[in-house]
Amino acid sequence: MFLKNQYVERDGIESPFFAGCLGIFGHGIVAGVGQGLSQNPDFRYYMTRNEQSSVHIAMAYAKMKNRLGTFACISSIGPGATNMVTGAACATINRLPVLIIPGDIFARRNVSPVLQQLESGASQDISVNDCFKPVSKYWDRINRPEQLIASLPEVMRVLTSPSETGAVTLSLPQDVQAEAFDFPDALFRKRVWKIPRPRPDIGHLHEAVSLLKASARPVIIAGGGVIYSGATGILQKFVEHTGIPVTETFAGKGSLPYNHPLNLGAAGVTGTPGANEITSGSDLVIGIGTRYSDFTTASKTAFQHPDVKFININITDFDSHKQGALALTGDARVCLEELNELVKDYQVAAEYKTRTTYLSKDWDEQVSKFYKVTGSLPVSQAEVVGTVNAFTGPRDVVLCAAGSLPGDLHKLWRTVDPKGFHLEYGYSTMGYECAAGIGAKMACPDREIYVMVGDGNYLMMNNEIVTAIQEGIKFTIVLLNNNGFASIGGLSQSIGSQRFGTKYRYRDKKTGSMTDEMLPVDFAQNARSLGAYVIEAYDVESLKAALAEAKKQTRTTVITIETDLYKGVPGYAWWEVAVAAVSDIDTVQKAYSEYVEKKKKQRYFL
Ligand SMILES: Cc1ncc(C[n+]2csc(CCOP(=O)(O)OP(=O)(O)O)c2C)c(N)n1
Ligand SMILES: [Mg+2]
């Protein structure tokens, strides 16, 4: 009742905040919350197959809605609850709102220990739900019904706050859920949460103008905040008149169309050569809506100008102060609008702009080369990415989370629309993809969603295909099978560990080691058994035909294709993964000395 009356409003547009409830019932939630949901069919309940993927569905929905909507995710007590901990961490790290409602053990205690109760000899005020504390932006346990009167407004404040948002956990003990209380009517009235667009400090803004005017080689890092705030239009205006080049993080990709001459594309570890060259020599980095993860900063090696300074535009004070920056704490759109007005007479040198446009165009030519079909089998991952990219329309969405695909997509995907590139690369959770396809499609029914997933990710969590079939939600999954982990395998090789433990192979019973014989996993049969429409492709031509056929389908479709484990796209920047200082393996010793060299480029920004 309370949840369905919560609305948000931004820029005069009002919408309900919750799209319904996702979950799996158990004894810890079926009587109390379950009863409430069954009595309110207009607050729709969706049964999922794993509580973690409920959270992924909610996150993907929230991401596509620019954080202006989400779901409540419910679970029973115990394992159902802890299944959501990974999802909660994922939501919080990605700064996406999700309401987590796990059932909890009896508050009354007289029947403890109850089924699935974690007992502690040190405190009776502990349950497994305490695991949500570090991964939640707000956490509460309701031991008496009237505590909800104080708690629910806090829940909504945090969920709808652009700076505070993330997972919010409200633990509901089994017995308390079923109790009666005479709540004030006002608690259930329609409430509209107004999403503010805070302006930056005027003094800081003028300081930013002075820094910019003194800069010869500024560069912008566009993060997810640009898209969430709807700042892509003003960003384009701002760079077109100043000539400042733009690089994009995973969450920020799509801030400018890929073919804008000032868009250098992907930033950081999985960045383009152009983005890395310009960022490395930049004397002023303007981070907009970015968290500066190690993938963006190339583990603090991306910025090599001796006097580099930072200006950060960010709604979250915590982020705007990163890298020792001049903090413009505020909404990206209004900050850029105000900055734009104050730098009307500023432009970068023509030579700098020429270099940017050259690098931008040059990278696009490189992309065409990676996309070029060679005819050799199995196909390369880049050929698959290129084929899917060429097939999709400008408003279609590519969705991915972990493996070697995120890096390739970051570098290669030609994004046109700000919502066309959906990467969960804050937590890089294997298994996000198939579930997230549901959330993305629910948020944007008028867009085609293309989930691209590796075999490892698919095997970790493919069960929400059943939920997609149940709900009649259609999206397309392109499953790239390279029989193991190209990503972690490649990483293992680069740190000298020779791809140990990264291939799906049989064990040799005699030697105890892994053989070269591949496991007989039939992905097509697997997907078919869950109810998906399945098409098996093996080369680029059959993939094209499969994509055309998939588009015509009304139910979720899985296209399987085998890809080459070893044919990857090169990297153009360094990522710190600590290499063992002592090892008997000579390849590790060699990797360690290279590692020590690379670390010398790391810098502090104070
Ligand atoms: C839950 C989880 N466990 C482990 C990892 C570490 N990890 C990142 S990518 C990856 C392998 C992914 O395999 P696959 O989907 O086949 O993609 P590929 O590397 O072959 O491109 C692993 C194990 C992770 N990101 N998430
Ligand atoms: Mg794989």
Side-chain angles (χ1 to χ4, degrees):
M1 188 72 167
F2 173 87
L3 297 179
K4 73 183 180 194
N5 282 309
Q6 304 306 306
Y7 286 71
V8 281
E9 186 216 293
R10 189 172 74 171
D11 306 330
I13 301 166
E14 189 183 291
S15 53
F17 187 63
F18 292 101
C21 179
L22 302 157
I24 298 179
F25 287 124
H27 70 279
I29 199 99
V30 74
V33 171
Q35 190 282 138
L37 284 166
S38 67
Q39 212 171 276
N40 286 277
D42 55 334
F43 192 73
R44 191 173 285 176
Y45 172 69
Y46 301 88
M47 177 165 74
T48 62
R49 267 67 201 173
N50 181 315
E51 294 83 354
Q52 180 182 330
S53 43
S54 302
V55 187
H56 294 328
I57 295 172
M59 280 178 62
Y61 182 90
K63 189 170 170 72
M64 293 310 290
K65 288 277 184 193
N66 287 333
R67 315 195 286 197
L68 298 172
T70 188
F71 284 86
C73 298
I74 59 161
S75 79
S76 191
I77 71 163
T82 49
N83 269 356
M84 295 199 289
V85 175
T86 299
C90 188
T92 293
I93 287 169
N94 283 282
R95 315 278 160 89
L96 292 170
V98 178
L99 176 57
I100 311 255
I101 305 181
D104 210 332
I105 53 172
F106 273 69
R108 226 170 47 232
R109 295 183 184 167
N110 61 329
V111 288
S112 9
V114 295
L115 177 68
Q116 302 171 328
Q117 176 167 346
L118 171 82
E119 289 179 89
S120 163
S123 169
Q124 293 203 45
D125 194 21
I126 282 180
S127 83
V128 293
N129 287 357
D130 288 76
C131 296
F132 285 98
K133 283 182 177 168
V135 296
S136 299
K137 297 294 285 193
Y138 179 81
W139 183 99
D140 215 343
R141 181 182 279 130
I142 303 301
N143 285 313
R144 295 167 61 93
E146 63 267 43
Q147 287 174 345
L148 281 172
I149 302 166
S151 186
L152 287 173
E154 291 304 304
V155 163
M156 288 308 299
R157 175 185 64 77
V158 175
L159 283 172
T160 60
S161 156
S163 59
E164 288 295 300
T165 201
V168 165
T169 301
L170 196 60
S171 290
L172 298 183
Q174 302 167 241
D175 51 346
V176 183
Q177 280 177 49
E179 282 174 33
F181 184 80
D182 193 9
F183 288 102
D185 286 348
L187 188 66
F188 306 107
R189 267 187 224 136
K190 176 176 172 180
R191 175 141 187 204
V192 183
W193 297 80
K194 306 218 175 202
I195 312 297
R197 291 192 177 276
R199 287 161 195 286
D201 177 79
I202 191 78
H204 290 195
L205 197 62
H206 284 293
E207 222 179 299
V209 172
S210 312
L211 281 181
L212 187 55
K213 287 189 175 165
S215 163
R217 302 179 78 80
V219 65
I220 287 172
I221 302 179
V226 172
I227 295 172
Y228 298 143
S229 132
T232 53
I234 182 65
L235 175 72
Q236 185 162 339
K237 258 198 205 160
F238 177 67
V239 299
E240 280 174 2
H241 105 247
T242 57
I244 303 174
V246 174
T247 68
E248 298 173 322
T249 70
F250 278 94
K253 190 166 159 93
S255 291
L256 283 186
Y258 81 96
N259 53 358
H260 191 284
L262 291 171
N263 190 356
L264 291 167
V269 176
T270 48
T272 64
N276 283 308
E277 176 190 311
I278 293 291
T279 307
S280 176
S282 171
D283 57 0
L284 180 67
V285 178
I286 307 169
I288 312 174
T290 173
R291 301 184 304 124
Y292 285 99
S293 85
D294 63 348
F295 261 74
T296 300
T297 69
S299 301
K300 298 267 162 50
T301 63
F303 317 106
Q304 290 297 321
H305 190 286
D307 300 316
V308 62
K309 293 188 173 58
F310 293 83
I311 296 173
N312 290 339
I313 297 175
N314 207 299
I315 191 84
T316 307
D317 212 31
F318 173 66
D319 291 318
S320 59
H321 281 85
K322 285 178 178 171
Q323 308 276 121
L326 169 66
L328 297 187
T329 306
D331 172 76
R333 200 176 89 185
V334 295
C335 281
L336 276 173
E337 279 165 2
E338 298 202 348
L339 193 60
N340 197 40
E341 284 306 308
L342 296 171
V343 293
K344 284 274 180 241
D345 52 345
Y346 174 83
Q347 272 212 345
V348 300
E351 151 280 314
Y352 188 51
K353 199 167 161 186
T354 310
R355 182 71 187 154
T356 303
T357 49
Y358 166 78
L359 289 168
S360 168
K361 197 163 159 287
D362 184 57
W363 178 247
D364 199 48
E365 284 163 15
Q366 297 293 325
V367 172
S368 298
K369 286 186 190 150
F370 287 116
Y371 279 0
K372 201 167 174 340
V373 179
T374 61
S376 71
L377 294 180
V379 291
S380 71
Q381 183 157 287
E383 287 174 271
V384 175
V385 171
T387 308
V388 178
N389 200 172
F391 182 82
T392 52
R395 291 192 77 252
D396 293 350
V397 179
V398 67
L399 188 154
C400 187
S404 59
L405 269 166
D408 286 3
L409 292 169
H410 194 208
K411 272 184 251 184
L412 305 178
W413 192 263
R414 289 171 166 145
T415 309
V416 181
D417 183 272
K419 300 305 309 176
F421 190 81
H422 183 128
L423 259 283
E424 187 285 282
Y425 211 68
Y427 207 38
S428 187
T429 315
M430 282 176 80
Y432 173 79
E433 298 91 339
C434 293
I438 297 178
K441 186 68 183 180
M442 281 171 126
C444 301
D446 59 334
R447 293 177 191 255
E448 289 285 334
I449 313 289
Y450 290 88
V451 169
M452 295 195 70
V453 62
D455 49 327
N457 277 265
Y458 178 84
L459 285 177
M460 193 162 285
M461 219 185 277
N462 52 46
N463 38 18
E464 294 312 320
I465 290 175
V466 178
T467 309
I469 302 300
Q470 159 190 298
E471 299 298 336
I473 291 169
K474 188 257 167 142
F475 54 96
T476 302
I477 299 171
V478 182
L479 197 176
L480 292 84
N481 174 25
N482 53 21
N483 298 290
F485 305 161
S487 52
I488 304 299
L491 182 62
S492 161
Q493 195 165 332
S494 74
I495 52 127
S497 294
Q498 303 163 359
R499 295 184 182 254
F500 171 73
T502 62
K503 292 178 188 166
Y504 291 144
R505 301 290 190 270
Y506 283 101
R507 186 176 298 283
D508 184 330
K509 283 211 173 120
K510 278 193 211 117
T511 63
S513 331
M514 307 312 288
T515 65
D516 277 338
E517 199 187 339
M518 288 184 198
L519 292 171
V521 184
D522 188 335
F523 287 98
Q525 282 283 63
N526 176 283
R528 209 171 277 128
S529 77
L530 301 176
Y533 183 75
V534 178
I535 313 166
E536 293 175 71
Y538 60 95
D539 63 0
V540 168
E541 280 314 306
S542 57
L543 176 61
K544 279 185 193 163
L547 287 163
E549 198 183 336
K551 197 166 178 183
K552 288 192 219 129
Q553 298 306 312
T554 50
R555 72 180 144 132
T556 284
T557 300
V558 177
I559 300 172
T560 60
I561 186 159
E562 189 173 344
T563 52
D564 194 308
L565 183 70
Y566 300 101
K567 261 190 243 156
V569 180
Y572 305 98
W574 183 66
W575 183 38
E576 177 168 7
V577 174
V579 182
V582 179
S583 172
D584 294 340
I585 306 168
D586 57 353
T587 47
V588 177
Q589 292 162 4
K590 187 165 166 286
Y592 182 71
S593 30
E594 280 165 19
Y595 168 70
V596 171
E597 266 317 294
K598 294 270 181 123
K599 268 187 79 69
K600 290 182 183 159
K601 282 184 85 183
Q602 285 183 326
R603 297 186 57 189
Y604 290 108
F605 304 104
L606 300 166

